Amino acid sequence: MARRIHGCTVGSGWPAAGLIAMLLILLNGCGERAWNAPYPASEAKSNTLYSSFSERPKHLDPARSYAANEYAFIAQIYEPPLQYHFLKRPYQLVPLAAEKVPEPLFLDQAGNPLPDDAPVADVAFSDYEIHIKPGMRYQPHPALAKDDAGVYRYHQLTEEAVERFNTLADFPHTGTREATAEDFIYQIKRLANPRLHSPIASIMAEYIVGFSEFASELTAAGDNGGFIDLRQYRMAGVTQLDRYRFKVRLRGKYPQFVYWLAMTFFAPMPWEADLFYSQPGLDKRNISLNWYPIGTGPFMLAENNPNLRMVLARNPHFHGEAYPLQGEPEDGENGMLDDAGKALPLIDKAVYSLEQEVIPRWNKFLQGYYDTSGVSSDSFDQAVKFGSGGEANLTEEMLERNIKLATAVETSIFYLGFNMADPVIGGDSEENRYLRQAISIAVNFEEYISIFLNGRGVVAQGPLPLGIFGSREGPEGINPLVFDIENGKPRRKSLQEARALMAKAGYPNGKSIRTGRPLVLNYESASAGPDSKAQLNWMRKQLKQLGIQLVIRATDYNRFQEKLRKGTGQLFMFGWNADYPDPENFLFLLYGPNGKVEHAGENAVNYDNPEFNALFDQMKNMENSPERQEIIDRMVDILRHDAPWIWGFYPKAFSLYHDWYGNVKPNLMANNTLKYKRIDPATRNARQQAWNPPVVWPLVLLVLLLLASTVPAMLVYRRHERSAAR
């Protein structure tokens, strides 16, 4: 007797294991998904972007967040007044939550208006009037849920009620409302709240009138750990004009304030969310603003499981925005304007999976399960090759998969710092200056970039990265104290010239003319693992060329920071990433009153040159102009001469993406670019099937082995049965 299964006739005597194995093969042959697909079949052709993250974001509260891995999420959720144009370069501010980019009104000490070109010394106050767009509504959220009587449902949770909620999704009701000027003011007040320790509180206290006094008033009022209704406290420099307009008054002139308005620090926050999250017991269950944001942007955090994945989904109440109509001349040719005028966002969802290991992340990208990927050192040679002119190209393996490469010089700098407070290496004596210049020549950062960065960097000629106003390109941008110009390009000066400077510094062949002993310098390092050993050895080798003995003092990062605060180190490697695209954001790192030891500022090398300081004070609040460029040129000349830094390099970002992932243009200032991305799910699904064919031969072999082992047993069994029957 036989039975029919899915059109196949199977004998009743077949072993069960063999039947199951054959069924698996048959089912796979009829399916549309590869066996190794990490996502449900229902998502195979969805308009979803797939990527990864390696570290759990710590703060999703816009008053506290200040890290790149946090901005990857919150910048898609919150909407500050301004944003950077997605396509145009140099970077250009455009409206986001605001109707327009605000222009400051300058006032004298008596409050009288001043002309736009008034001298900086005459400007006592700057007023920024911000008009926000009507109709911006918050994402669905239980903090805004009301009952039929208009009473908030979840603003007075009992201890028993809190026990029923483990995630935000456990609240059965949600609500929304329009964002108003009051919400933007409320968020500015949150920046001043001492309880939150906002990382920009100190700089805002310098400029926003009444900011420090507001913080002091909150401190004096006491903190019982519960809800503080900030609406009941007034900040003198922030005024609501009507439902959609508010004004911020700053001390003096501070043109960089508009850049801060493009950061999520200044996104609106409803007071209801502050009250909701402050209720006892919720924070212990990770129900807080640091875990569940609430914004008006195109996306909302639909799933926060940082041990597995994080999901951004469309905000159903998003007020709408259109893809830019214009860009740079080449954007049209590159397809970057194909979606011009289309409603944003272009995708429905973004799924970020936790990938702490580099190799699994890379393999999933090659299999088509991640749409984009960085390029780690381990996979660099597999992905990228350099042409004869030093240009980066993709390998044949990447080209065969239609993978594309995007590169951009980052608005960042890594430098080797000399502690200017140290008597041996610092100070303003001519001898110590010669010593720093000699070391600047000897430390070959071209070699460093080639060996340790796979060529992903540009040797720095000064403190300003490319693309920042004030930076110079071409021959006029070359540092003449470290490089010669050859055919319009920099060529590092010879070691003979560096050794001549060593002799002028009082250290011929690396030995002191006063003591006859070799010069010994200490290098502070926060990298103590095996991966850093080669870099530290390389650094030691660079100074050995001048006869200098370099002692590596490796420690953890906290101890490293302490050495910087106390000024006990001599040399160290450090870096800075731009908060906003203005030269002030880099040159302030060398401004005397920002010294790390005396003032706890960001001037980690404690450089203090009176002429440079005076020029910085003059330059920092100027609008970009030829006059400002002249001042910056002089400041850079002073820095090159004094050499408080070895200028190091500007890192170069390399990213790979599949051809079904559209609208890729690196924007090093904007963080809210997810809304512009486009996905072709059909192409992606087809490629995933082609690149991940099922490997069935092990299963077939298993079936054959099962048959081979079962048939003799069945024969013995049947003989036994027949014998028993007789």
Side-chain angles (χ1 to χ4, degrees), residues 497-700:
E497 292 177 82
R499 289 166 183 151
L501 287 169
M502 287 288 292
K504 294 172 70 174
Y507 297 99
N509 299 317
K511 294 183 179 180
S512 171
I513 58 174
R514 291 184 293 273
T515 67
R517 295 177 181 176
L519 176 61
V520 179
L521 296 177
N522 296 322
Y523 181 82
E524 312 300 334
S525 172
S527 302
D531 294 341
S532 63
K533 184 177 180 180
Q535 296 183 26
L536 296 175
N537 286 337
W538 178 88
M539 191 67 71
R540 188 184 287 113
K541 177 184 173 183
Q542 302 304 298
L543 272 70
K544 188 177 180 181
Q545 298 174 113
L546 301 179
I548 300 173
Q549 296 180 14
L550 191 65
V551 176
I552 305 297
R553 302 202 299 187
T555 185
D556 60 44
Y557 189 67
N558 289 335
R559 176 64 178 146
F560 173 79
Q561 289 278 55
E562 184 181 352
K563 289 181 179 181
L564 295 189
R565 286 194 298 269
K566 294 182 178 180
T568 58
Q570 288 183 311
L571 287 84
F572 55 88
M573 194 82 158
F574 221 35
W576 183 259
N577 184 51
D579 292 310
Y580 43 84
D582 190 88
E584 179 263 352
N585 194 228
F586 286 91
L587 294 172
F588 91 113
L589 298 171
L590 291 153
Y591 181 55
N594 285 338
K596 180 72 73 176
V597 174
E598 289 192 28
H599 308 285
E602 295 296 340
N603 180 353
V605 297
N606 305 294
Y607 176 67
D608 193 3
N609 180 300
E611 183 185 0
F612 178 88
N613 294 343
L615 290 171
F616 179 85
D617 288 331
Q618 183 181 353
M619 176 281 307
K620 66 177 182 178
N621 291 329
M622 292 178 67
E623 304 290 342
N624 291 341
S625 62
E627 292 75 20
R628 196 184 197 205
Q629 180 70 64
E630 289 182 11
I631 295 173
I632 292 171
D633 288 342
R634 175 56 188 155
M635 295 173 72
V636 172
D637 286 343
I638 294 171
L639 293 174
R640 287 171 173 170
H641 178 256
D642 288 350
W645 293 0
I646 298 178
W647 304 109
F649 61 93
Y650 314 125
K652 195 172 185 179
F654 279 53
S655 62
L656 301 174
Y657 60 99
H658 292 288
D659 63 342
W660 60 73
Y661 181 57
N663 297 334
V664 178
K665 182 174 182 177
N667 189 316
L668 302 172
M669 285 292 110
N671 297 293
N672 63 336
T673 58
L674 180 64
K675 60 189 175 185
Y676 305 110
K677 304 305 184 195
R678 176 172 27 87
I679 293 293
D680 180 356
T683 299
R684 177 173 61 193
N685 186 59
R687 298 277 172 77
Q688 289 172 351
Q689 300 309 304
W691 294 343
N692 298 277
V695 181
V696 298
W697 67 262
L699 194 54
V700 173

Side-chain angles (χ1 to χ4, degrees), residues 252-557:
K253 187 176 182 182
Y254 185 49
Q256 292 81 12
F257 182 66
V258 290
Y259 295 122
W260 290 105
L261 292 177
M263 302 179 74
T264 54
F265 292 114
F266 287 88
M269 179 60 62
W271 65 268
E272 296 96 330
D274 213 10
L275 185 155
F276 172 81
Y277 283 124
S278 69
Q279 296 178 91
L282 290 182
D283 188 59
K284 293 180 180 179
R285 310 177 84 80
N286 282 332
I287 300 178
S288 68
L289 265 175
N290 279 324
W291 203 268
Y292 295 109
I294 172 173
T296 61
F299 295 97
M300 60 183 186
L301 189 60
E303 182 180 337
N304 185 359
N305 183 357
N307 294 320
L308 181 64
R309 71 176 197 168
M310 299 181 72
V311 178
L312 292 171
R314 277 180 182 264
N315 173 7
H317 302 309
F318 182 52
H319 54 91
E321 187 182 354
Y323 191 94
L325 298 174
Q326 298 177 328
E328 295 184 286
E330 64 271 19
D331 286 335
E333 302 171 9
N334 296 336
M336 294 299 299
L337 290 172
D338 291 353
D339 293 310
K342 290 184 179 179
L344 300 177
L346 297 177
I347 62 171
D348 297 326
K349 188 168 66 172
V351 176
Y352 299 87
S353 301
L354 177 65
E355 292 285 1
Q356 294 180 316
E357 301 296 331
V358 172
I359 293 177
R361 184 188 308 129
W362 175 246
N363 287 337
K364 287 180 183 177
F365 170 71
L366 293 182
Q367 291 170 314
Y369 295 127
Y370 291 146
D371 300 316
T372 182
S373 172
V375 189
S376 69
S377 298
D378 293 336
S379 57
F380 191 86
D381 291 339
Q382 184 182 356
V384 179
K385 62 181 180 181
F386 287 98
S388 57
E391 68 281 4
N393 299 302
L394 289 169
T395 61
E396 291 301 322
E397 179 183 355
M398 300 297 108
L399 293 174
E400 288 174 1
R401 291 175 178 259
N402 295 303
I403 290 172
K404 300 182 182 299
L405 172 68
T407 65
V409 178
E410 299 182 28
T411 50
S412 308
I413 186 170
F414 283 89
Y415 62 87
L416 186 67
F418 299 105
N419 180 11
M420 299 296 285
D422 181 78
V424 177
I425 201 72
D428 59 357
S429 70
E430 200 67 31
E431 290 79 5
N432 286 9
R433 190 176 295 113
Y434 287 139
L435 176 59
R436 295 191 297 271
Q437 291 174 0
I439 297 174
S440 298
I441 294 172
V443 180
N444 190 326
F445 271 104
E446 299 96 306
E447 185 178 274
Y448 182 94
I449 292 168
S450 175
I451 295 174
F452 300 111
L453 302 179
N454 301 109
R456 289 176 286 182
V458 175
V459 174
Q461 302 291 334
L464 300 178
L466 304 176
I468 299 294
F469 180 84
S471 64
R472 296 282 194 177
E473 297 189 48
E476 63 181 355
I478 294 173
N479 180 0
L481 292 173
V482 177
F483 295 92
D484 294 320
I485 299 175
E486 192 174 272
N487 298 323
K489 296 182 178 180
R491 180 180 59 81
R492 185 172 292 272
K493 291 181 181 293
S494 67
L495 283 173
Q496 285 74 18
E497 292 177 82
R499 289 166 183 151
L501 287 169
M502 287 288 292
K504 294 172 70 174
Y507 297 99
N509 299 317
K511 294 183 179 180
S512 171
I513 58 174
R514 291 184 293 273
T515 67
R517 295 177 181 176
L519 176 61
V520 179
L521 296 177
N522 296 322
Y523 181 82
E524 312 300 334
S525 172
S527 302
D531 294 341
S532 63
K533 184 177 180 180
Q535 296 183 26
L536 296 175
N537 286 337
W538 178 88
M539 191 67 71
R540 188 184 287 113
K541 177 184 173 183
Q542 302 304 298
L543 272 70
K544 188 177 180 181
Q545 298 174 113
L546 301 179
I548 300 173
Q549 296 180 14
L550 191 65
V551 176
I552 305 297
R553 302 202 299 187
T555 185
D556 60 44
Y557 189 67

Side-chain angles (χ1 to χ4, degrees), residues 49-189:
L49 182 149
Y50 293 102
S51 189
S52 64
F53 68 101
S54 59
E55 184 180 4
R56 179 183 79 82
K58 185 176 181 180
H59 295 299
L60 298 181
D61 181 341
R64 304 183 68 181
S65 175
Y66 207 17
N69 69 319
E70 297 164 353
Y71 270 48
F73 296 100
I74 68 169
Q76 326 310 326
I77 297 168
Y78 293 107
E79 290 186 299
L82 306 178
Q83 65 181 339
Y84 291 94
H85 196 286
F86 178 50
L87 300 176
K88 291 184 178 180
R89 305 292 185 273
Y91 297 109
Q92 178 180 325
L93 286 172
V94 294
L96 181 55
E99 292 277 11
K100 61 181 181 179
V101 178
E103 296 286 343
L105 172 65
F106 301 129
L107 306 169
D108 63 18
Q109 193 64 46
N112 301 311
L114 295 171
D116 292 342
D117 59 352
V120 173
D122 294 347
V123 178
F125 303 104
S126 301
D127 280 359
Y128 287 82
E129 187 175 307
I130 300 167
H131 299 236
I132 68 165
K133 296 174 181 176
M136 295 191 306
R137 301 188 70 81
Y138 290 103
Q139 67 186 68
H141 198 282
L144 303 176
K146 293 182 178 181
D147 60 20
D148 294 338
V151 177
Y152 288 102
R153 292 178 179 270
Y154 305 119
H155 283 197
Q156 293 181 334
L157 294 174
T158 64
E159 186 175 331
E160 293 76 20
V162 169
E163 291 295 321
R164 299 198 303 267
F165 304 118
N166 293 308
T167 71
L168 203 67
D170 292 336
F171 290 85
H173 299 280
T174 61
T176 184
R177 70 165 174 83
E178 185 182 41
T180 67
E182 182 182 41
D183 299 334
F184 287 84
I185 293 174
Y186 194 89
Q187 173 64 4
I188 295 174
K189 291 178 178 179

